[in-house]
Amino acid sequence: MAKACGTVLRAMRLERGVAQDAFALLAGIDRSYYGKLERGERQPSIAVLLKCATAFAESGAALMAAIERELVAVRRAPNA
């Protein structure tokens, strides 16, 4: 779950062309903690996911749906 979440957070941030530290500041999250989220080293709380969704100008539901799609893709991938 943490890896899928990190993959989605990184992809969404890069799609918007925002640096990691700038995004963390925008979302109100410590930049080192945010880096750990993107690397899949930490499991985010719902509150943190909602902060990220708001910073991405997305709904929490849209962010969760993207994470769920990533989880499904990882489960279907060979050698996952």
Side-chain angles (χ1 to χ4, degrees), residues 13-57:
R13 178 181 59 78
L14 292 175
E15 283 173 6
R16 288 157 176 80
V18 179
Q20 194 177 69
D21 57 342
F23 181 78
L25 182 64
L26 179 65
I29 301 169
D30 179 78
R31 71 172 178 77
S32 64
Y33 177 70
Y34 183 76
K36 291 175 184 177
L37 289 175
E38 281 198 0
R39 290 189 300 276
E41 296 172 1
R42 293 285 185 264
Q43 185 75 33
S45 67
I46 295 294
V48 168
L49 288 175
L50 291 174
K51 284 181 177 185
C52 290
T54 299
F56 286 132

